[in-house]
Structures are given as C-alpha cells and as structure tokens.
Amino acid sequence: MPEQFHRPVRRPSASFDKLVGASDSAEAQRVAHATASALLTRARDDESGESAKRLIAFTSEHGIDDIAELWATATAVSLPGALWRLYLLQLAIHTDPQTSALLYERGRVELASADAVVAGAPVPASPEELVALIDTILRGVFQGDFAVALERAAAFCRVQVSGATHTADDYEATEPVRATELTARARRLHTYANDLSAAAALWRVGGLT
C-alpha cells in the first residue's frame, strides 16, 4: 500500500462483511501474502512508530477498498486473512461506534468468560473508548506482540457475539428483521473470532504466513 496519496475516500456502501476482492487467483494469493509480510515487517522494524501510526489511520484517510483488493480473498487463517479481519473490525467500530458499544456492553454483562478482560476495554466502554480500543489492538499488531493482539481481537469478537445474540433475542418478537441482522452479525463475528484465535496459535509456532 502506498504510504501517501490523495484521492476521494471510497466508503463502502454495503455492510463491512460483504466486501470482496477482485479475484481468487493464485497470483492474487501470492500478492496478498507478499504484501502482508512486507507491510508487517516494515512497520515492526520502524522504531519511530510512524509506520504503525499511518497504518492504523489508513482506512480513516483512504477507505477500505485498497486493502480489500490485496487481502479480501486471502485464506482466513493466514497473515493477510488475519490483517483483513482486523481492518474489518476497525471499520465496523469506526463506522458505528454506538452500536458496537451497545453490543459490547450487553455481551460483557451476559458472557461468563474472561473475554472482556482479555479484550481490554474499560467498564463500561463508551463508543469513543471502543474506537480507541480497536486502534490500540492494531497498534499491537504493528508494534507489540502480534499473537496477543490477535487474541485480544478474537476476545472482542466473542464479547460482541454474546451481545448481538442476546440483543437479537430481545428484538425477535417486535423487530424480526433487526433480530435477523443481529444474528447474522453474531455468526460473522463468531467466525472471525475462531479465525483470529487460530491465526494467533499459528503465529506463536512460526506457521502464520
């Protein structure tokens, strides 16, 4: 991805999980893996932190389309696949922090696990604090322990899954369409959580490429 360029930001008109890449060819897969590895290496080698700062802010400044073209069709449990899912989470929270905060808090209350602690959000978390949380998790990807960052993102997803599921139950009788949307969101986030957890395990043994 270019470090600096200027053009209108292309915000996706569809929901964040429906974005797709251009092709699923072998060449596209090769490019996805090569660019993800090069980007991560460069950011983690930059002791000034400027590369990480630019990468965290990338989607806010340029939109998600350029990243989608590189990584959207990558294998789920791979380096580009993990980065793609992290950027999708960032997009979802930045686009609608109010809903994210609502679902997160509901999930935190309902979920009988340590996932909320692992994710690391304040209690309760405001919309602004969740935006800061996902940016902090991305910062960990580019500067800190990559596996820990993936595990935090997975834990965040599981809290949101719980929140979306319970909120869907609340809406079932009065707003079935909304309930269906929340249930679909929970299923997607459940898949993301599993993918990110698997990627973290592979990273720890040197197998995530």
Side-chain angles (χ1 to χ4, degrees):
M1 291 182 297
E3 289 184 15
Q4 298 292 335
F5 57 89
H6 302 281
R7 61 178 174 175
V9 174
R10 295 176 290 170
R11 297 294 183 188
S13 57
S15 58
F16 72 95
D17 58 293
K18 293 181 180 178
L19 291 166
V20 296
S23 68
D24 196 21
S25 67
E27 177 63 13
Q29 293 294 309
R30 186 194 68 76
V31 170
H33 287 262
T35 54
S37 178
L39 180 147
L40 191 65
T41 298
R42 178 173 180 177
R44 295 174 70 85
D45 286 347
D46 181 3
E47 296 182 359
S48 73
E50 286 302 310
S51 293
K53 183 178 179 180
R54 288 195 297 271
L55 289 167
I56 293 166
F58 186 87
T59 57
S60 296
E61 296 174 4
H62 307 300
I64 197 78
D65 291 23
D66 293 285
I67 295 173
E69 289 173 7
L70 291 174
W71 300 336
T73 61
T75 303
V77 184
S78 67
L79 182 57
L83 292 175
W84 172 235
R85 281 151 184 74
L86 289 170
Y87 272 114
L88 286 179
L89 287 176
Q90 185 197 41
L91 174 66
I93 297 169
H94 278 243
T95 300
D96 190 358
Q98 288 77 21
T99 297
S100 293
L102 173 67
L103 297 181
Y104 188 91
E105 180 60 18
R106 182 66 184 278
R108 183 189 68 80
V109 172
E110 299 285 355
L111 194 60
S113 74
D115 284 312
V117 175
V118 173
V123 178
S126 70
E128 294 77 16
E129 286 169 332
L130 277 193
V131 168
L133 172 66
I134 190 60
D135 289 352
T136 297
I137 290 173
L138 272 176
R139 188 173 297 109
V141 166
F142 298 124
Q143 291 183 292
D145 187 317
F146 188 74
V148 168
L150 293 177
E151 288 166 348
R152 291 184 68 186
F156 174 87
C157 287
R158 285 190 285 268
V159 177
Q160 289 264 304
V161 168
S162 176
T165 300
H166 284 90
T167 305
D169 290 342
D170 295 341
Y171 280 111
E172 185 63 40
T174 57
E175 298 184 43
V177 174
R178 178 61 172 156
T180 298
E181 292 172 349
L182 287 166
T183 300
R185 181 176 184 139
R187 288 172 179 162
R188 291 191 301 270
L189 289 169
H190 177 72
T191 299
Y192 291 173
N194 289 342
D195 293 341
L196 292 167
S197 292
L202 276 179
W203 177 265
R204 291 191 186 281
V205 298
L208 188 68
T209 59

